[in-house]
Amino acid sequence: MKITKWLMPLGMISAFFYFLHVFLGQLLWKEYNPITTDISSLTADGAPNANLLRVFTLIYGVTFLIFTIGMILRTWKENHLVTRIGYILFFVMAVTTVIGYNLFPLTGDKKEMNFQNMMHIIVTVVVVFTTILSTFIIAFGYLRKDKQKILGRICLFTAFLITIFGATNPIGMGMELNILGLSERLVIYTLQLFVFFLSSLYTFDTKLVRK
């Protein structure tokens, strides 16, 4: 489908704007500590420059969402049902990310377990679960069904990385290491680099995606 040719680069664009909002937010907020403080605090209600950064996260969200739709369309005829299911679940993750975090940003005092902060946490749990599950299914689809071994191994490696890094969040909190910002970045940066990687592969139609 010709439309997918125009949708594939949006993954790279979305990753760019995600990193832009993070690094710009850290630069503008002098007291912000990326090791101890989560990324969502940059766009929390009352945070410095939150309105500016939300413009970038909006662009990120829209482009990421459309990219995942493009991946479903691209793989619908080219890949096995398992791979397509993986990308449908990846789309569910994108929808949860875009809608959930925009509806329920953190409030100024994130330690207060009000309704908004509680829903933000629930959204995060759903995003983490669907991210891990979808990447494993995509990896299985490429490896076992589509016989695209190299791409499948890369996806599988990414799935394991996200799972391992994701486990550092509750471990760090349980041990009171105060590294929430670092552990969260390990997960999210891995995901963003994965999206950028997939987008570049399908944008330039490399050998890895040809059957």
Side-chain angles (χ1 to χ4, degrees):
M1 299 176 68
K2 290 186 178 180
I3 189 174
T4 59
K5 180 179 69 174
W6 303 105
L7 301 184
M8 293 300 93
L10 292 179
M12 291 184 285
I13 295 172
S14 72
F16 170 79
F17 275 98
Y18 188 87
F19 284 118
L20 177 62
H21 112 269
V22 172
F23 293 125
L24 181 61
Q26 294 174 188
L27 181 65
L28 295 176
W29 188 353
K30 301 300 182 182
E31 295 79 16
Y32 182 86
N33 187 335
I35 302 298
T36 62
T37 312
D38 56 275
I39 296 174
S40 294
S41 293
L42 291 170
T43 52
D45 290 342
N49 310 295
N51 291 335
L52 171 63
L53 298 180
R54 285 175 182 176
V55 174
F56 298 132
T57 57
L58 177 61
I59 298 173
Y60 153 72
V62 172
T63 52
F64 180 43
L65 190 59
I66 298 175
F67 169 70
T68 58
I69 294 174
M71 287 303 302
I72 294 174
L73 295 175
R74 177 66 189 262
T75 59
W76 198 254
K77 290 185 177 181
E78 296 180 8
N79 297 90
H80 191 271
L81 176 62
V82 174
T83 311
R84 299 200 299 266
I85 290 174
Y87 279 113
I88 290 172
L89 190 57
F90 203 67
F91 167 73
V92 171
M93 179 270 288
V95 172
T96 306
T97 299
V98 174
I99 296 178
Y101 286 133
N102 279 286
L103 286 178
F104 307 108
L106 286 174
T107 60
D109 184 6
K110 61 186 178 183
K111 295 180 181 179
E112 179 187 352
M113 277 299 102
N114 53 36
F115 175 76
Q116 189 165 316
N117 285 352
M118 184 62 70
M119 290 302 298
H120 187 93
I121 293 173
I122 292 174
V123 169
T124 299
V125 171
V126 174
V127 168
V128 171
F129 176 77
T130 51
T131 299
I132 293 173
L133 184 59
S134 62
T135 48
F136 272 112
I137 293 175
I138 291 169
F140 179 80
Y142 281 134
L143 278 170
R144 298 297 184 182
K145 301 300 181 179
D146 295 319
K147 307 304 180 184
Q148 293 172 274
K149 299 297 185 181
I150 296 177
L151 182 55
R153 288 167 185 162
I154 293 172
C155 293
L156 186 61
F157 178 69
T158 302
F160 275 117
L161 277 183
I162 293 175
T163 302
I164 293 169
F165 291 152
T168 63
N169 278 328
I171 293 174
M173 294 173 67
M175 297 179 65
E176 299 183 352
L177 298 177
N178 199 23
I179 56 168
L180 179 59
L182 174 61
S183 57
E184 184 184 62
R185 279 167 172 75
L186 290 174
V187 176
I188 298 179
Y189 288 1
T190 301
L191 173 62
Q192 295 304 322
L193 291 174
F194 178 62
V195 170
F196 190 95
F197 168 75
L198 283 177
S199 178
S200 64
L201 286 186
Y202 281 93
T203 297
F204 302 111
D205 197 26
T206 66
K207 293 180 179 179
L208 288 181
V209 299
R210 295 176 195 161
K211 297 191 67 178

